[in-house]
Amino acid sequence: AQTVTQSQPEMSVQEAETVTLSCTYDTSESDYYLFWYKQPPSRQMILVIRQEAYKQQNATENRFSVNFQKAAKSFSLKISDSQLGDAAMYFCAYRRLRDSSYKLIFGSGTRLLVRP
Amino acid sequence: GAVVSQHPSRVICKSGTSVKIECRSLDFQATTMFWYRQFPKKSLMLMATSNEGSKATYEQGVEKDKFLINHASLTLSTLTVTSAHPEDSSFYICSARGMFGTRDEKLFFGSGTQLSVL
């Protein structure tokens, strides 16, 4: 069975600084998707970034980028120039490529605090 | 962008009553909808997957008779918590999968429902 692990329950970053959130996963599949979702206090889940496992290039979305290490099964999220609005729970998620149901497996989450 | 509307956002009910939560895709057809449960400061746990016009697929450990799911149309899925008890109190989130073009498939989340059973 696939599992997703986020070992940092909480992280703190100074506004305008950079922070990296860690995620590791376990799977025997070779093709899959990885995601980072943000859940602000409103509790609305928001997709931050997506990575296809078959792509070697790391995905980027403005201030958000990932470090995808397939062999190590690691998928960290880097937030540059942190803003107060980045404060939220961040969930790493996994989905099998050949899963037609689009079922996501979530990690336990990391709470990000941004200090002004 | 595509929106998923979940209603109600908050509900308080007495023990033993049933509560229905609706999840609607507002501007796209959702071939599949998912229901999650989230305990305080915890991750999202998938409860069931529903496809329009067919029976829902429940995850292991989720009581089918307790959590009734109906996906009657391509834009509406409902979760009914039957004979609710305090241990059913939780945050419930739906998500909907839609196809936008031949290979552009996306997943959108509702804003969640906080259920409190007294």
Side-chain angles (χ1 to χ4, degrees):
Chain A
Q2 295 85 17
T3 59
V4 178
T5 302
Q6 293 178 250
S7 59
Q8 305 156 317
E10 187 173 287
M11 292 285 285
S12 179
V13 63
Q14 189 73 38
E15 192 176 7
E17 298 291 306
T18 296
V19 64
T20 298
L21 308 184
S22 300
C23 173
T24 59
Y25 58 95
D26 188 24
T27 184
S28 58
E29 303 281 330
S30 59
D31 295 321
Y32 47 86
Y33 293 106
L34 295 166
F35 306 84
W36 276 98
Y37 279 90
K38 170 185 178 180
Q39 188 180 41
S42 67
R43 306 188 78 171
Q44 175 75 57
M45 295 289 284
I46 302 166
L47 177 64
V48 175
I49 202 164
R50 183 179 96 162
Q51 174 80 42
E52 290 90 345
Y54 61 87
K55 290 186 177 179
Q56 293 184 337
Q57 187 173 8
N58 290 324
T60 62
E61 287 288 341
N62 301 313
R63 298 183 294 108
F64 299 87
S65 61
V66 298
N67 184 2
F68 173 48
Q69 301 290 327
K70 192 172 184 179
K73 296 180 181 175
S74 170
F75 182 61
S76 61
L77 174 69
K78 185 172 81 171
I79 305 174
S80 304
D81 185 25
S82 297
Q83 300 175 1
L84 295 178
D86 294 333
M89 282 290 291
Y90 286 82
F91 293 98
C92 179
Y94 165 98
R95 178 206 156 196
R96 291 174 60 204
L97 180 67
R98 291 181 176 78
D99 188 344
S100 60
S101 72
Y102 213 107
K103 176 180 173 180
L104 292 176
I105 299 171
F106 287 92
S108 55
T110 297
R111 180 174 299 281
L112 178 65
L113 305 174
V114 181
R115 305 187 301 274
Chain B
V3 175
V4 173
S5 173
Q6 186 172 342
H7 179 80
S9 58
R10 178 179 291 272
V11 59
I12 301 172
C13 69
K14 292 182 178 180
S15 185
T17 61
S18 294
V19 174
K20 180 183 285 187
I21 303 170
E22 290 189 349
C23 181
R24 291 181 184 273
S25 56
L26 296 185
D27 53 3
F28 68 99
Q29 293 185 328
T31 52
T32 307
M33 288 188 172
F34 304 88
W35 288 95
Y36 292 87
R37 184 171 179 176
Q38 186 179 27
F39 290 102
K41 300 183 179 180
K42 297 292 185 182
S43 187
L44 281 72
M45 301 301 297
L46 180 65
M47 299 174 65
T49 302
S50 73
N51 293 293
E52 184 265 339
S54 62
K55 289 185 178 180
T57 302
Y58 290 80
E59 295 299 303
Q60 190 172 9
V62 177
E63 298 177 60
K64 300 178 183 180
D65 296 333
K66 159 70 80 174
F67 300 100
L68 300 179
I69 291 172
N70 184 282
H71 194 158
S73 76
L74 283 172
T75 60
L76 174 65
S77 177
T78 60
L79 167 67
T80 301
V81 182
T82 62
S83 186
H85 287 91
E87 58 266 30
D88 298 324
S89 298
S90 189
F91 190 68
Y92 294 87
I93 306 176
C94 72
S95 65
R97 169 194 174 205
M99 292 295 296
F100 302 87
T102 305
R103 302 180 70 177
D104 186 16
E105 121 185 274
K106 294 180 179 177
L107 189 70
F108 298 93
F109 284 83
S111 54
T113 298
Q114 180 64 53
L115 171 63
S116 299
V117 184
L118 305 178

